[in-house]
Amino acid sequence: MTTQRLSAQTPADIARAARLLRAGELVAIPTETVYGLAANALDPAAVRSIFAAKGRPQDNPLIVHVPDIGAAEPLAADMPAKARELAERFWPGPLTIILKKSERIPDVVSAGLGTVALRVPAHPAALGLLRVCGLPLAAPSANLSGSPSPTTAAHVLHDFDGKIAAALDGGPCRVGVESTVVTLAAPAPTLLRPGGVAPEALRAVLGELEISSAVARALRPDEPAASPGMKYKHYAPNAELILIRGSLPDFLGCAEERQADGILVFDGDMALCSPRFPRCLSYGREDCPEEQANQLFSRLREIDALGWKRVLVRRPAPDGVGLAVYNRLLRAAAFREVDLR
Ligand code: AMP
Ligand code: MG
């Protein structure tokens, strides 16, 4: 199969992407979080081909993307007042809301759960495409399952060239990590996955918000996963990553001791690091989690392109959007974390 390169700037290309999706094909699309691998959410065969292309575990449900609240409503069994408040505050945007599903949602989308994950993306090309094709789109991140999520069309083609019908290039993603996932189908509103909307912003609307135990640590083997995606090693480059908490001098000492092939630090560390450790990349300023989120997945892919095998990473502060950066890095590191303090 030849993967068509389409441009999000070109209305004819958006129309072409819509036609392919209506015909049951897979199209990678830009969103403000990461690129998504989209299919018609109402077509079980098309949705099954997402799982096959990604090598995604069958028990990991997909997020369904819609152009507005009105299009979300028929896909949920009901829309509680809190869901409406969240949607009005954060849609279009990087927030996914889990609700009881309506019977329109095929079981393959929800991986057999009685719930559905819904989101209105903020990228103009994603919104335009949703409106033109007139279908809800199931779209997980457009990466091979387990590998770092794609934040450019080049990342998508690296994983899927020749395996999907088309990739719509909308430039680099603004947020850079996946959406925040909150469930309103549990006894209390619960954050299942941190993302581009910080927990404090959700609390400002919801009042109460529980944080799933899977957010900042590994689940025990006997613990149920409220969000199936959070139980897997995930987002990981081939390199072995180790997250290090501690001062910069201690970090550098540790990198030498452990004979790291490379290090991933904050922008402000580079002047001090690069003379001692030339194999050095940075992922944004230490006090700017939005910048870290924006750069993280590109850096993880660069680490593999450079062939580094063992990489020590300065741990981000898990505050605000930083909780999402920490959550992704923890999984990318298969939960290897060392506290030097
Ligand atoms: P991705 O599509 O790669 O962004 O992953 C979607 C995330 O949303 C995964 O962590 C899923 O487990 C989670 N998710 C999707 N649908 C549901 C659902 N109905 N209940 C709980 N988690 C869900
Ligand atoms: Mg994913």
Side-chain angles (χ1 to χ4, degrees), residues 136-160:
L137 296 177
S141 49
N143 54 310
L144 293 172
S145 197
S147 66
S149 298
T151 55
T152 65
H155 295 163
V156 172
L157 292 168
H158 177 272
D159 286 11
F160 290 115

Side-chain angles (χ1 to χ4, degrees), residues 56 60-63 98 113 115-117 139-141 178 181 192-193 226-230:
R56 186 176 176 98
N60 193 4
L62 306 179
I63 295 172
I98 294 183
L113 300 174
T115 50
V116 61
S141 49
E178 299 83 347
V181 178
L192 299 182
R193 177 177 74 181
S227 182
M230 288 287 99

